[in-house]
Amino acid sequence: MSGKNEHPEDFGTGARDLQEHFEPHELKNPIPWPLIAIAATLAIWGGATLLFDARATTTGRDALLAQGRPEMTPSLVETAAQEGDAAAARSAALYDSYCATCHQTNGAGVRGAVPPLDGSEYVLADAALPVSILLRGLSGPIVVDGEVYDARMPTWHATLGDEEIAGIVTHVRGAWSNDAGPVSAEQVAATRAALSAELDRPWAGGAELFDAFGEFSETMADDQPEEPRAQ
Amino acid sequence: MVFTIGTLVLVSFAVSLMALVVLIWAISRSDLQLDQHDADTIFEAEARPAGFDDPSERTEDTRSPIGIGGEDLHPAASRQAVLFMLGMATLWLVIGSVFGLMASFKLHMPDWLNDWAPLTFGRVRTMHLNLVAYGWATAGGVGLALWLIPTIFGTHLRLPRLALLGGVLLNIAVAGGVTAIGSGWTDGLEWLEIPWQFDILFAIGALCLVVPLLATARHRQVHHIYVTGWYYLGAMIWFPVLFVVANIPGLHVGAQQAAVNWWFAHNVLGLWLTPLGVGAAYYLLPRIIGKPIYSYRLSLVGFWALALFYSQVGIHHLIGGPIPTWVVTLSVVQSVMMFIPVIAVAINQHPLWMGNLSAFRASVPLRFVAIGALLYTAASFQGSLEALRSMNSVTHFTHYTVGHAHLGAYGFVSLVLFGGFYYVVPRLLGRVWPMSWLMHAHFWLVTVGFAIYFVSLSIGGWLQGQAMLDPARDFLASMELTIPYLTGRSIGGTLMLLGHFAFAINLVAILAGRGAERMPLAAAPQPGE
Amino acid sequence: MNRALPLILLATTILVFATVFLVILPAGQIRSAAIPEGLEPYDAAETRGRAQYVSLGCVYCHSQQPRAPEQAPDTARGWGRPSTASDYAFDSPHLLGTMRTGPDLLNIGARMPSRAWQLTHLYQPRAIHPTSIMPSYPFLFETKPEAAAGDVLVQLPPEYRPEDGSVVVARPEALDLVAYLVGLDRTYPAATPDLRDNGYAEAREGEAE
């Protein structure tokens, strides 16, 4: 090799070793036996995997069929219906169609945009408070669970009847981790009557609610923004 | 139904295995009349002594190949076509990696450059992919093939004008397609985003390049088609078929389209970029070192097993997805079978450069090619493991796969192409690289940069995948934990981009006529460092 | 290995063989399945919105293919039941995706049905999730001094509102995109459970290594 003469430093021992290594091998055994052994092992593994997966196909299909309706967040409507309580089922359905769009089916709301209902002190306070929020709606800053929300909740008094509002509030107060008492249609009617003149004006935020309902929660009083910000 | 399909899968697997067994048997019996001497074909095709050969820095090695009959293998027309492809490829590499780096930064600076739709992440990332896959790797790989095929076949390139036309069309298609993607006009399938209208142009361009290469193969002056030739000829046939079938508009829909999508996208790696890279490495390693590969017969196993197994691996991208189990499983098994050809290639290539480490140290082109070949082995092993269901559950959908994709497309293909460019351009122009320090800088920037890139994404991606599988952790946690690793990737990527600039500047300089010219051998300066 | 023609023919045969198994046979199986009850074709707004989704490259960070509970906790995250091939009967280009830099979106309409939320999130994801790395899409919105009749206002927390007191309204592109997103709902019962990868359904020992 001419390179050897020109560059003794480039083709030293390494090159000679290599020559010695492969010259004798190549004529006898062009394919090293370990490679053939690996190939055979892989082939057996491959066949076994194919067989296993053929079995899994059937199992998986059956599982999916048995599952029937998919478990998204388990539907509250269905859960209530299974418990045999028709009224509760109706309330859950009302919640799903009017409220879940924003507050989500799990009542967690949407971080930064929609306050949670699960664990909310407004929901768990005296029933007149959540009822009057539903009736009048809300437009202004409100602090829930330490977070400020710029609320814009629709006014429902014209859309929903006393019984429907009672159902929704009862549902929300008892759903998820909430554990507050039910609300009757009569209570809603009374609140509606008391608010009569102001039904079309949404609450201006947490501060106004606090003024109207007094200290329903000790922690919240200090949290509320002083003045409702102008929209 | 299950029985029928299960049977079909077994048939497919069994056929692949039987083909392999027949192949090994035939080789053992020497029916293929192939022996170690054939590995010397590359040294015999051109009138040039075997020996250490590094034209990147040594003027005496920059002679253009001369055939056995004294024919200049690269007359002006052929040289023009090769240089055009290599130049365009480098341009696309630089633009493509600028977009890639932008996309990387956007993942940890999400409000950066968001006011204009073409610069949104989804488009920048896609322009990056198409530029580097079809602009850089394809144009660069074909450019090398335009030089290598005449050189190993000992004859000049046939129909060089047609090849140049093909190159022009191909590059127009890339430019048009990527502009379309930037403006929001896309076919919407990963790896197939370029609108089909430009695909037609691309396919015609590819065809204009394939025909001259096949014509050159027909007129070969050597007794034997060297292994590089098999890979190239295979790739020249496979790619047009793949590209046309996958791009026919309106033929595929829904989940079935996804199957076609990944059949194509993985084959474009396995049956196009891989053969271009492995083929080039099979030439460049022995050529630069000046010694033949370890076992020539083994290379046959490597090639045919690649064809048999790689062509069926694509659906491992849809593990756990809405594709029938049998197709997915078939791809999983074939992916693992890929160990066979990869080991065969590894046995052939690595002992060669590892046994000549002084050559490895002396030659930058060789270093690029050898590390590229090593990373081919690594990427393929990793790919086979990622196809296992248990590992795929963790790594799929994460940045780990992005690291893997770059290990193959960058660590392997691009590094081999870099080495190829550094070897071929001086022999085309008869000049060494004008700024060899830039070449060294390029080497260190991209290897260190890529190491940072790959390690960051692999660790970050693995942790991300584990977080995603943990029902107790919020999904957001799986994203948030990746931020430091994504930042690390940007640092690595910046180094890589700097390396590409060094490469491009050197190329512009050598094309502009700078760099020491070849001198008569007697007057050549004594090499040595 | 001395003749090019046999090499080329054999190489072609191998590719054709692979194409039969990976493309033609699955295509036959998938396309013979009926369209499930409960899956509607996309309406005009959703189709336009889907085109926005494609053109903006949402698919590069969001998959649309919930996995089976045996493989990943997708269902528990509210992403829906494992999808099957027939859930995508109207999808072209398909948007299955390969990355989950963000969550799976096949059932985003069932999970986040609020149009207002989607608009806010598209205008500025960090207004909702401060650590989000999703791009903001200001070019899908318009900032004006005052909303005109019929404009859809984007609700924003104070720190993300324009400083000059003007309002942000959605352009038609944003409304289309949101129409597509809130329409994404494959919560009807699974049809064709055979047409998905059920390879995780059975715990298998051979897979460990």
Side-chain angles (χ1 to χ4, degrees):
Chain A
M1 298 252 163
S2 54
K4 218 177 230 174
N5 301 328
E6 283 174 35
H7 305 287
E9 78 282 10
D10 287 343
F11 295 95
T13 34
R16 270 197 302 280
D17 284 352
L18 184 68
Q19 291 283 16
E20 284 160 16
H21 273 287
F22 71 71
E23 291 288 0
H25 283 291
E26 83 193 53
L27 295 174
K28 290 179 198 154
N29 188 4
I31 299 167
W33 67 264
L35 181 64
I36 294 178
I38 291 171
T41 316
L42 288 177
I44 293 165
W45 172 87
T49 305
L50 288 171
L51 285 176
F52 273 122
D53 275 19
R55 287 224 317 267
T57 311
T58 334
T59 330
R61 179 198 53 202
D62 295 346
L64 205 55
L65 279 179
Q67 200 181 358
R69 187 176 156 81
E71 298 305 311
M72 290 286 293
T73 330
S75 165
L76 297 162
V77 185
E78 283 184 357
T79 318
Q82 279 161 13
E83 283 162 9
D85 186 338
R90 209 166 50 242
S91 303
L94 285 171
Y95 176 84
D96 273 1
S97 49
Y98 290 106
C99 318
T101 308
C102 295
H103 291 286
Q104 308 300 311
T105 35
N106 62 0
V110 175
R111 194 164 154 193
V114 182
L117 299 177
D118 188 9
S120 161
E121 286 148 317
Y122 299 85
V123 171
L124 302 172
D126 181 74
L129 176 59
V131 167
S132 58
I133 294 178
L134 251 81
L135 286 168
R136 280 176 57 175
L138 196 67
S139 179
I142 183 168
V143 175
V144 184
D145 199 19
E147 295 237 14
V148 186
Y149 294 86
D150 188 31
R152 257 167 202 277
M153 171 151 158
T155 303
W156 294 107
H157 75 88
T159 321
L160 299 172
D162 293 341
E163 201 159 317
E164 289 169 311
I165 290 181
I168 290 171
V169 174
T170 304
H171 169 76
V172 168
R173 281 161 70 86
W176 320 298
S177 67
N178 290 349
D179 190 18
V183 180
S184 67
E186 290 73 31
Q187 274 175 285
V188 177
T191 313
R192 192 191 284 269
L195 292 171
S196 59
E198 294 181 293
L199 276 176
D200 276 322
R201 187 177 68 77
W203 294 99
E208 192 186 2
L209 284 170
F210 180 72
D211 288 344
F213 289 89
E215 259 182 67
F216 53 86
S217 161
E218 288 175 15
T219 53
M220 276 194 304
D222 303 329
D223 286 346
Q224 296 303 334
E226 283 299 310
E227 303 237 332
R229 257 164 285 182
Q231 281 299 293
Chain B
M1 191 78 165
V2 172
F3 172 74
T4 333
I5 289 165
T7 317
L8 283 175
V9 179
L10 286 174
V11 165
S12 166
F13 185 58
V15 166
S16 308
L17 282 181
M18 267 168 50
L20 185 69
V21 169
V22 168
L23 178 69
I24 293 177
W25 178 72
I27 295 172
S28 309
R29 282 176 42 102
S30 308
D31 282 354
L32 292 167
Q33 294 169 341
L34 187 77
D35 64 42
Q36 186 64 15
H37 177 67
D38 292 323
D40 291 328
T41 311
I42 52 166
F43 303 116
E44 292 156 3
E46 54 169 316
R48 182 180 179 83
F52 180 67
D53 178 24
D54 178 7
S56 70
E57 295 185 272
R58 306 196 314 162
T59 46
E60 73 271 26
D61 285 339
T62 58
R63 272 156 301 154
S64 184
I66 304 292
I68 307 154
E71 182 198 19
D72 180 3
L73 299 185
H74 292 284
S78 152
R79 205 172 339 175
Q80 199 181 7
V82 178
L83 285 175
F84 174 75
M85 293 304 276
L86 300 189
M88 289 307 291
T90 309
L91 176 68
W92 297 134
L93 170 73
V94 171
I95 302 176
S97 34
V98 168
F99 280 127
L101 191 61
M102 273 174 70
S104 175
F105 272 96
K106 277 169 162 287
L107 277 182
H108 50 90
M109 297 163 60
D111 281 315
W112 181 54
L113 294 180
N114 266 354
D115 288 333
W116 192 40
L119 294 184
T120 195
F121 173 83
R123 292 198 190 161
V124 171
R125 172 222 172 276
T126 311
M127 289 191 280
H128 160 71
L129 181 134
N130 283 277
L131 280 171
V132 296
Y134 299 111
W136 158 243
T138 296
V142 171
L144 281 189
L146 286 174
W147 188 87
L148 275 173
I149 286 194
T151 305
I152 58 170
F153 288 155
T155 187
H156 65 276
L157 179 70
R158 296 307 191 282
L159 304 168
R161 295 278 154 212
L162 185 63
L164 183 62
L165 174 71
V168 171
L169 293 179
L170 194 94
N171 282 290
I172 292 176
V174 169
V178 169
T179 312
I181 292 167
S183 67
W185 174 23
T186 163
D187 281 355
L189 300 176
E190 222 166 315
W191 287 89
L192 292 165
E193 288 96 348
I194 294 180
W196 60 266
Q197 291 85 345
F198 289 105
D199 288 334
I200 294 176
L201 204 59
F202 193 91
I204 295 173
L207 213 63
C208 295
L209 285 158
V210 165
V211 169
L213 290 173
L214 293 183
T216 310
R218 262 182 69 91
H219 289 94
R220 66 187 178 278
Q221 298 296 313
V222 291
H223 70 284
H224 173 75
I225 299 179
Y226 181 66
V227 51
T228 300
W230 316 336
Y231 280 99
Y232 277 166
L233 290 176
M236 299 301 156
I237 296 305
W238 289 323
F239 182 67
V241 176
L242 288 169
F243 194 80
V244 170
V245 171
N247 275 302
I248 297 174
L251 185 61
H252 315 292
V253 72
Q256 177 257 329
Q257 193 183 37
V260 176
N261 190 173
W262 289 110
W263 164 83
F264 171 81
H266 213 98
N267 278 340
V268 87
L269 302 173
L271 299 183
W272 176 237
L273 297 184
T274 300
L276 288 182
V278 173
Y282 258 127
Y283 176 84
L284 293 164
L285 287 173
R287 175 80 260 186
I288 297 176
I289 293 172
K291 293 180 192 305
I293 53 172
Y294 171 72
S295 162
Y296 196 63
R297 290 174 171 179
L298 196 54
S299 56
L300 204 62
V301 178
F303 174 71
W304 287 110
L306 174 97
L308 283 170
F309 297 125
Y310 217 143
S311 55
Q312 298 183 27
V313 304
I315 312 302
H316 68 214
H317 288 263
L318 293 162
I319 295 176
I323 295 290
T325 318
W326 67 268
V327 198
V328 178
T329 305
L330 179 62
S331 280
V332 170
V333 171
Q334 303 292 34
S335 305
V336 177
M337 296 303 284
M338 275 301 294
F339 273 118
I340 298 168
V342 172
I343 292 173
V345 172
I347 293 176
N348 252 337
Q349 296 188 344
H350 302 327
L352 182 57
W353 65 268
M354 285 178 178
N356 291 279
L357 281 178
S358 39
F360 177 84
R361 277 192 291 275
S363 165
V364 177
L366 176 61
R367 266 189 263 164
F368 271 118
V369 179
I371 294 179
L374 189 64
L375 295 184
Y376 168 63
T377 310
S380 305
F381 278 21
Q382 191 190 21
S384 293
L385 293 174
E386 272 181 84
L388 290 175
R389 288 182 180 279
S390 46
M391 181 146 168
N392 191 272
S393 291
V394 180
T395 59
H396 195 48
F397 293 137
T398 73
H399 296 292
Y400 187 92
T401 51
V402 181
H404 169 66
H406 283 80
L407 187 62
Y410 193 86
F412 159 45
V413 177
S414 298
L415 290 195
V416 169
L417 290 184
F418 289 143
F421 278 43
Y422 280 129
Y423 180 85
V424 165
V425 175
R427 295 198 63 189
L428 273 171
L429 297 174
R431 289 193 291 275
V432 297
W433 290 92
M435 289 167 274
S436 72
W437 67 272
L438 273 181
M439 183 168 69
H440 288 266
H442 175 204
F443 175 79
W444 287 110
L445 282 168
V446 302
T447 44
V448 172
F450 184 65
I452 297 173
Y453 181 111
F454 180 73
V455 172
S456 300
L457 283 193
S458 298
I459 298 175
W462 186 265
L463 296 176
Q464 181 193 11
Q466 292 200 312
M468 250 190 255
L469 286 183
D470 182 354
R473 293 167 80 178
D474 191 52
F475 174 77
L476 267 180
S478 76
M479 181 277 287
E480 286 164 353
L481 71 83
T482 60
I483 304 288
Y485 301 99
L486 293 175
T487 314
R489 184 257 295 266
S490 290
I491 295 169
T494 307
L495 296 180
M496 287 152 70
L497 178 62
L498 289 176
H500 299 165
F501 279 127
F503 174 55
I505 290 168
N506 226 347
L507 186 72
V508 169
I510 196 172
L511 289 176
R514 296 191 47 202
E517 298 258 354
R518 181 175 67 245
M519 283 177 277
L521 264 180
Q526 280 306 303
E529 290 181 282
Chain C
M1 280 299 102
N2 282 329
R3 281 177 302 160
L5 194 62
L7 186 146
I8 287 171
L9 286 179
L10 196 51
T12 313
T13 312
I14 290 175
L15 182 61
V16 168
F17 184 72
T19 310
V20 167
F21 279 91
L22 263 60
V23 174
I24 297 172
L25 288 177
Q29 199 186 353
I30 290 170
R31 298 182 91 163
S32 62
I35 293 167
E37 283 181 52
L39 181 65
E40 298 288 326
Y42 299 104
D43 67 22
E46 287 171 350
T47 305
R48 290 192 304 270
R50 197 170 193 278
Q52 286 291 325
Y53 187 100
V54 170
S55 131
L56 292 172
C58 307
V59 69
Y60 301 111
C61 289
H62 294 283
S63 61
Q64 291 194 11
Q65 44 167 324
R67 295 173 168 188
E70 299 85 1
Q71 189 191 4
D74 291 12
T75 310
R77 293 195 192 282
W79 295 349
R81 65 165 165 81
S83 60
T84 78
S86 42
D87 292 328
Y88 305 93
F90 300 112
D91 283 19
S92 187
H94 81 90
L95 296 170
L96 292 182
T98 51
M99 287 294 281
R100 281 182 179 171
T101 309
D104 192 275
L105 295 183
L106 188 65
N107 290 296
I108 184 66
R111 191 162 84 245
M112 286 291 189
S114 157
R115 185 171 78 160
W117 184 89
Q118 298 285 1
L119 287 172
T120 306
H121 190 249
L122 285 173
Y123 178 76
Q124 180 48 277
R126 278 153 295 287
I128 290 170
H129 298 297
T131 59
S132 169
I133 57 170
M134 176 166 141
S136 49
Y137 294 93
F139 47 84
L140 297 179
F141 299 86
E142 203 176 341
T143 306
K144 340 170 140 177
E146 238 171 283
D151 276 352
V152 178
L153 271 175
V154 180
Q155 298 176 24
L156 291 169
E159 63 270 33
Y160 287 104
R161 285 181 205 150
E163 283 170 16
D164 58 3
S166 48
V167 295
V168 177
V169 302
R171 290 182 195 268
E173 294 92 318
L175 295 174
D176 289 339
L177 181 52
V178 170
Y180 169 64
L181 290 173
V182 300
L184 274 175
D185 182 351
R186 264 84 158 167
T187 54
Y188 51 83
T192 63
D194 268 333
L195 296 184
R196 64 159 285 104
D197 177 19
N198 291 317
Y200 288 88
E202 210 175 40
R204 282 157 305 145
E205 287 136 34
E207 283 284 295
E209 66 277 346

